[in-house]
Amino acid sequence: MSSRNLVRISVLCVLLLMLSTTMIAAKNKGIIYYLAPCMHDEVQTTAATMIKDAVEEAGYTCRVLTAGQEDASLQLNQLDNAISQNPKAIIVAAVDGVAICGGVDKARAAGIPVIAFDRTISETKVDFHSVAGCRLIGVNSGNEIARLLKERYGTVKGTILDIMGDPSDSYTTLIEEGFREVMADYPDVKIDTKIASAWEASNAANIADDYLTAYPNTDLIFTHADHLAAAVVAILQNKGYQKGDIILVSTAGMPTGLTLIREGWLSCTVEQPVGAQAEGVAMFLDDIIAGKKPALGKYTVNGIDSELIEMPYGLELRISGAPIHAGNVDDPVFWGNQVGK
Amino acid sequence: MAVHLREQEAEEPVLEVRNVSKRFGHVQALDDVSLKVYRGDIVGLLGDNGAGKSTLIKIIAGNHQCDEGQVFLEGKRVNFSSPAEARAAGIETVYQQSPVCTNATVYENFFIGREPVKSFLGVKTLDVPKMRDDTRKILDDIGVSMPSIDVEMGILSGGQRQAALLGRFLHWGGKIALLDEPFAALGVAESRNALKMVREVSKKGLPIILITHNIEYALQVINKFVILRHGNVVGSGKAQDVTMQDLVATITGAIHLND
Amino acid sequence: MDNSSKRKTLKWILDNIAWFILAVLVVVFSLTVEGFAQWPIYRNILSHAIFIGILAIAEALCIISGEMDLSVESVMALSAVVTAYLAGTSTDASGLYMNGVSTLAIVLAAGVLIGLINGFFVVKMKINSFIVTLAGYLAFRAVGLVITGGRGVLNISPDIVAVARTSIGPIPMFVIIMVALYGGFHWMLNRTRFGKYIYYVGDSKEAAFNAGIRVDRVLYGVFIIAGVLSALAGWLLAARTNGCSPSLGMGLLFEAMAAVVIGGVSLQGGIGKLTGVFAGALLLSSISTVIAIVGMNPFYMNIIRGGLIIAAVTLDTAIRSIRAKLT
């Protein structure tokens, strides 16, 4: 390459770089970071897209950082880096709600509001929470499971294979907590809990395959996410089960889950309303950044009933995740119906 | 002597190195080196440490490429870019210093890089019985005893390992053999055995270049010598015409020997 | 001579130590765990081992050749995503509705390409294979996420799924495929020039080079085989789960590594047998199965796995020191 060409190309690169920075800077009211815990299922990828869209719709620039595979120390480093850029606000879906506290305090001390998304940060003060409440999802799932067992047997009894996600993820442990709380009232239900490490679908498939081989009369399988349910369905088909032979319940409301409901394999999935959660952040963003306190009380976010309450750790917008079943699966209010082609 | 010389000139050398030079950065490893090897020769390539012996051998064996000059094998110009090419052309090398594949058994080591295969429906499978039979036969021929041909090279003693390597080169022969310090790791009895093997091979007509520090051993087998010093040829000629003292004096730079 | 035959016996035991451990475990599980001692469970153990098993072949070849391939898991994930995307019928798929043969051809070709890329950086650019394939580990799964936009795909072409459902007699197709691969690659390692060269290169690249072996070609070959095997595993994984999800296959690299080490392959290169690796894969599979059917606190699962890493590494060290004494 001749030196003249080199110079031309360099100049062009510099111009492009300047252009892009001015575009970013010129666009809007400032930068907002979203720190995602990982990108390993449809909930996370959708959440990132929806937050970015909602925040940019509100007139800000959104930068998304992913903490690898749920790496808490990486997320703290990313939080430090974000603080150094002096953004208008930082939205964080914490890998570890306790480990993140030091970073949260640092950001708030620097005058940057912190918004907890999807996962509660309860050990320190945060400016705003937009959460579904994973425990609540577990409670709702438990109630649905009790209802489905009662419909089938007249009384709540049977054997449940409960397939959790990765135990290092509070999403699944909180669901488990809520689910167990409900099931404690039904002594005739036997629950076997297993772990699908890394939320990996073939792990769930193998567990279901082995468990159903040893206990073919299992009544219900509860998976903590829809992509695990999809793998379990593949096993049910392999083993020659018909739709409805074993009741299948799940959580998250991914497009995959909605498809399984339409096909009749999945009886119910309890939504994790990421779309509404993202919208909830955008709704109150200007107030939070301006330091104004929005009125407490009932709101409707994306068509879903929600409530803004004051918790010891700050304001919390609690959006209830609804059970989705064959009767309401096509309702456009569910995020699973809003994404995809 | 003149008659003898003319006889040789009539014959084409198996290997000719013509005006070869090689630099490594600022170091002139070889400077305008030439030598000829004819059928039946055992040429002693002598010299002190750093004289350029190994560099020359590595150029012939394809490990290095020369900067200037040419190498001819049976009159044809050659320019090897790897040991595999040199070997395919018929140049067999036994290195003392370089490592062996310690996880290969004795019989596998005999055939490394050119294992005999049986073809079955176009699929080539190693012909293990042939490898074992040939190995056993050759080891018997040269009078080497091994604990077993199924043991790995890594657990052989230095002498056994060297014997296995020499046996391998004896078997393959090719057009010319290069022996780099074959006696370095051997005891007295093992060295005597090795010298016998070198003579056996030479009798079959295979020319050999022998690199060694041990002039005493060299003089028992070589018929010609070439002495390198600081990358230059400082002496060459017929072994029968010189004494050990002359050779040592030339190697250390005290005198120049030329025929 | 007596000494040498004793040595041989000991070496044979070391090479196959995983089989002894496996036998003991299966007997203990069969006697103590309710519902374990039945053919369907043994069949599950065999067919569940296929993904760890295939990745372990790829990894074992790399490690025997003195290199490392950390990208196998992500290549598998990418291949599963591509298969599901091309052959899927749900809305998030490509809409091309491709069949089994053409998707298999595409992912295997991609496997060859990835092997060439890994080989190029290791052989030509002379970058440590650990670094090269670590980059691949991070990148290839992400390529899959980009293709589907991070969505899952459900319901793929029935001729692909059939592979996971078919049995020949009582033997599932997965088991037949896995056993055939182990048999084939065992034969390759022991009975072909290329196989032997993998061992020699792993022992000493310099010695192999001097002996006239084209070391570069051997390494390219090993990385290409690893790429193709990983891609095949991904295709089968899509068949198994009838689709794909972004985290598919995550964590299997560790399991494959564990199978390789438990199977007696030395991390130093040049030493190891696929028979041992096969036992290692079955060992891990039977432990997963017993965890799946026994009623216990699920959190123990990772403790058992952690213990297994320590055991595997200790075993490797112990075997190496015993081997050193043998020489």
Side-chain angles (χ1 to χ4, degrees):
Chain A
M1 193 187 298
S2 77
S3 62
R4 191 188 288 174
N5 271 346
L6 204 66
V7 170
R8 278 184 194 156
I9 290 170
S10 315
V11 169
L12 198 69
C13 288
V14 170
L15 280 176
L16 278 173
L17 209 68
M18 284 164 63
L19 194 69
S20 56
T21 44
T22 46
M23 271 173 74
I24 290 168
K27 190 171 165 191
N28 53 53
K29 307 194 248 178
I31 294 162
I32 287 177
Y33 277 91
Y34 170 53
L35 307 189
C38 65
M39 282 295 158
H40 290 146
D41 59 55
E42 290 185 310
V43 174
Q44 295 304 339
T45 52
T46 307
T49 318
M50 287 186 155
I51 286 181
K52 195 169 162 52
D53 290 352
V55 166
E56 302 206 326
E57 185 77 9
Y60 299 87
T61 296
C62 186
R63 290 187 188 161
V64 179
L65 301 175
T66 305
Q69 300 175 14
E70 305 254 355
D71 181 342
S73 68
L74 176 60
Q75 191 168 53
L76 271 175
N77 294 343
Q78 291 175 332
L79 186 54
D80 272 344
N81 291 338
I83 293 169
S84 73
Q85 299 300 304
N86 199 25
K88 292 287 175 195
I90 297 173
I91 304 167
V92 55
V95 172
D96 181 329
V98 178
I100 199 79
C101 290
V104 170
D105 294 344
K106 206 167 148 188
R108 297 186 76 239
I112 303 164
V114 175
I115 298 163
F117 181 78
D118 190 34
R119 299 174 182 196
T120 312
I121 301 173
S122 56
E123 303 297 313
T124 189
K125 196 103 172 136
V126 180
D127 297 272
F128 191 79
H129 269 77
S130 179
V131 292
C134 297
R135 238 193 88 264
L136 200 60
I137 295 177
V139 169
N140 286 347
S141 308
N143 288 332
E144 287 300 306
I145 286 169
R147 177 181 67 80
L148 288 162
L149 286 174
K150 190 164 184 183
E151 271 176 20
R152 176 157 298 186
Y153 300 114
T155 163
V156 183
K157 61 165 192 175
T159 309
I160 298 176
L161 170 61
D162 168 32
I163 303 179
M164 295 175 67
D166 199 278
S168 65
D169 187 347
S170 60
Y171 178 79
T172 196
T173 50
L174 288 171
I175 287 178
E176 181 69 11
E177 214 179 287
F179 165 66
R180 286 279 181 172
E181 195 181 293
V182 174
M183 298 322 281
D185 294 343
Y186 306 105
D188 292 338
V189 174
K190 175 180 172 252
I191 304 170
D192 261 332
T193 303
K194 308 293 172 189
I195 283 172
S197 288
W199 290 98
E200 203 279 325
S202 79
N203 283 338
N206 289 346
I207 289 167
D209 199 0
D210 287 332
Y211 193 84
L212 292 176
T213 305
Y215 308 104
N217 296 323
T218 303
D219 298 290
L220 188 146
I221 299 175
F222 174 41
T223 57
H224 288 206
D226 295 331
H227 68 286
L228 303 184
V232 170
V233 167
I235 294 302
L236 294 178
Q237 291 169 343
N238 289 3
K239 294 178 93 70
Y241 285 92
Q242 298 300 310
K243 291 172 189 176
D245 285 354
I246 291 178
I247 304 167
L248 197 54
V249 174
S250 182
T251 81
M254 297 174 186
T256 312
L258 304 193
T259 309
L260 289 172
I261 288 176
R262 289 187 189 102
E263 287 178 354
W265 285 100
L266 186 61
S267 301
C268 169
T269 182
V270 178
E271 192 192 30
Q272 182 192 8
V274 278
Q277 286 170 248
E279 191 53 43
V281 170
M283 263 173 77
F284 297 99
L285 201 51
D286 286 337
D287 282 353
I288 298 164
I289 290 170
K292 277 188 270 179
K293 190 179 171 187
L296 301 180
K298 305 247 182 225
Y299 288 88
T300 305
V301 184
N302 249 16
I304 296 178
D305 292 337
S306 316
E307 192 175 10
L308 186 64
I309 50 175
E310 177 104 54
M311 297 293 287
Y313 47 80
L315 289 173
E316 179 170 313
L317 180 66
R318 197 173 280 175
I319 305 165
S320 54
I324 307 171
H325 41 76
N328 63 356
V329 65
D330 293 321
D331 192 331
V333 76
F334 301 127
W335 69 269
N337 284 327
Q338 295 161 11
V339 298
K341 288 170 196 167
Chain B
M1 185 156 178
V3 174
H4 187 69
L5 271 178
R6 211 177 301 130
E7 268 173 21
Q8 278 204 344
E9 295 296 336
E11 196 191 340
E12 188 179 55
V14 177
L15 180 85
E16 183 180 357
V17 172
R18 199 184 288 167
N19 309 115
V20 161
S21 296
K22 175 79 182 173
R23 293 186 73 90
F24 293 107
H26 295 296
V27 181
Q28 185 79 44
L30 290 175
D31 185 12
D32 198 25
V33 170
S34 299
L35 69 84
K36 290 179 182 176
V37 183
Y38 294 90
R39 261 184 80 78
D41 273 352
I42 304 181
V43 177
L45 183 57
L46 311 174
D48 217 341
N49 284 333
K53 308 185 300 282
S54 289
T55 306
L56 182 57
I57 286 298
K58 283 183 171 163
I59 287 174
I60 299 170
N63 293 60
H64 294 326
Q65 284 75 48
C66 56
D67 299 333
E68 283 165 48
Q70 296 106 37
V71 178
F72 296 89
L73 186 65
E74 294 183 328
K76 280 195 234 41
R77 171 101 191 259
V78 289
N79 195 359
F80 304 122
S81 57
S82 74
E85 279 181 30
R87 168 156 300 163
I91 296 178
E92 193 67 22
T93 314
V94 178
Y95 298 93
Q96 166 54 33
Q97 303 299 339
S98 67
V100 295
C101 293
T102 53
N103 60 354
T105 63
V106 170
Y107 77 83
E108 284 170 344
N109 182 72
F110 251 79
F111 293 90
I112 276 190
R114 53 198 155 193
E115 292 80 355
V117 287
K118 287 180 291 199
S119 202
F120 180 72
L121 300 174
V123 183
K124 287 176 183 160
T125 316
L126 295 179
D127 191 348
V128 176
K130 181 176 161 52
M131 285 161 71
R132 298 175 50 121
D133 289 349
D134 286 6
T135 307
R136 217 177 269 123
K137 214 171 81 204
I138 298 152
L139 288 177
D140 283 349
D141 268 4
I142 56 177
V144 175
S145 70
M146 288 276 163
S148 154
I149 58 168
D150 294 322
V151 297
E152 283 143 22
M153 294 295 284
I155 69 164
L156 294 179
S157 72
Q160 290 168 332
R161 196 184 293 191
Q162 194 62 19
L165 291 174
L166 283 169
R168 167 188 153 98
F169 115 88
L170 172 69
H171 176 63
W172 290 101
K175 289 172 184 155
I176 183 166
L178 315 176
L179 298 182
D180 189 359
E181 297 287 1
F183 314 120
L186 302 189
V188 176
E190 284 168 331
S191 297
R192 203 172 295 140
N193 232 334
L195 286 168
K196 202 179 88 193
M197 285 165 59
V198 170
R199 246 181 256 120
E200 288 286 327
V201 176
S202 175
K203 263 186 223 152
K204 293 179 180 171
L206 182 73
I208 295 169
I209 299 178
L210 176 66
I211 302 173
T212 180
H213 275 101
N214 194 323
I215 315 285
E216 188 196 335
Y217 285 158
L219 280 176
Q220 291 181 33
V221 288
I222 63 176
N223 67 331
K224 287 189 193 163
F225 66 90
V226 172
I227 298 172
L228 291 177
R229 185 170 166 75
H230 300 323
N232 294 293
V233 177
V234 293
S236 61
K238 287 188 177 305
Q240 67 203 54
D241 299 339
V242 294
T243 64
M244 198 165 133
Q245 283 72 24
D246 291 341
L247 291 176
V248 173
T250 314
I251 290 167
T252 56
I255 59 168
H256 272 235
L257 267 184
N258 269 308
D259 59 347
Chain C
M1 284 300 145
D2 185 40
N3 202 17
S4 133
S5 73
K6 214 176 16 253
R7 202 188 145 269
K8 245 187 206 165
T9 319
L10 198 52
K11 191 171 169 290
W12 184 81
I13 293 172
L14 289 182
D15 281 339
N16 294 289
I17 198 150
W19 285 107
F20 295 103
I21 302 174
L22 175 68
V24 170
L25 273 188
V26 168
V27 169
V28 169
F29 290 159
S30 300
L31 293 177
T32 59
V33 177
E34 186 202 333
F36 190 92
Q38 48 168 323
W39 163 241
I41 285 286
Y42 301 140
R43 192 181 54 199
N44 280 1
I45 291 174
L46 285 167
S47 63
H48 294 182
I50 188 166
F51 304 111
I52 300 173
I54 294 179
L55 292 192
I57 296 177
E59 201 58 63
L61 293 183
C62 288
I63 292 177
I64 290 173
S65 79
E67 301 293 337
M68 182 74 88
D69 191 346
L70 302 178
S71 71
V72 288
E73 176 194 304
S74 293
V75 174
M76 175 178 73
L78 174 61
S79 159
V81 166
V82 169
T83 303
Y85 185 69
L86 295 176
T89 58
S90 69
T91 49
D92 285 316
S94 61
L96 295 170
Y97 308 112
M98 287 172 74
N99 65 12
V101 177
S102 37
T103 50
L104 184 62
I106 288 170
V107 296
L108 293 188
V112 171
L113 186 68
I114 287 169
L116 278 172
I117 294 171
N118 282 338
F120 173 79
F121 282 103
V122 172
V123 172
K124 283 277 180 271
M125 307 300 283
K126 307 216 182 300
I127 304 173
N128 186 304
S129 58
F130 188 91
I131 305 296
V132 170
T133 57
L134 179 65
Y137 171 76
L138 296 173
F140 293 127
R141 181 183 289 278
V143 171
L145 285 179
V146 170
I147 291 174
T148 56
R151 302 252 160 61
V153 174
L154 192 62
N155 295 334
I156 59 174
S157 172
D159 64 338
I160 300 176
V161 181
V163 177
R165 291 186 185 166
T166 315
S167 287
I168 295 182
I171 315 283
M173 193 60 122
F174 270 21
V175 178
I176 293 169
I177 292 172
M178 179 172 59
V179 170
L181 286 173
Y182 268 93
F185 280 99
H186 179 78
W187 171 84
M188 185 197 85
L189 277 178
N190 292 289
R191 284 282 174 269
T192 70
R193 285 181 176 172
F194 178 68
K196 280 288 164 192
Y197 293 173
I198 294 175
Y199 281 102
Y200 303 153
V201 168
D203 186 75
S204 162
K205 287 196 169 60
E206 194 189 344
F209 182 71
N210 283 339
I213 293 171
R214 291 172 201 270
V215 176
D216 288 5
R217 282 194 203 174
V218 174
L219 292 181
Y220 267 115
V222 166
F223 279 110
I224 289 171
I225 290 173
V228 168
L229 283 175
S230 311
L232 174 66
W235 190 84
L236 293 167
L237 193 54
R240 166 82 167 159
T241 54
N242 190 15
C244 74
S245 52
S247 63
L248 200 55
M250 199 171 276
L252 262 64
L253 171 65
F254 155 67
E255 306 245 359
M257 283 283 190
V260 167
V261 174
I262 293 169
V265 173
S266 162
L267 293 173
Q268 317 272 350
I271 293 171
K273 297 247 175 270
L274 280 190
T275 47
V277 176
F278 192 23
L282 294 178
L283 192 65
L284 292 168
S285 179
S286 42
I287 287 171
S288 291
T289 292
V290 86
I291 289 172
I293 65 171
V294 84
M296 65 165 168
N297 184 332
F299 298 119
Y300 288 158
M301 183 170 155
N302 281 352
I303 298 177
I304 293 175
R305 287 180 170 206
L308 209 67
I309 307 174
I310 303 281
V313 174
T314 315
L315 204 64
D316 181 52
T317 318
I319 288 177
R320 235 187 295 145
S321 73
I322 295 172
R323 272 216 185 89
K325 278 187 202 128
L326 285 180
T327 60

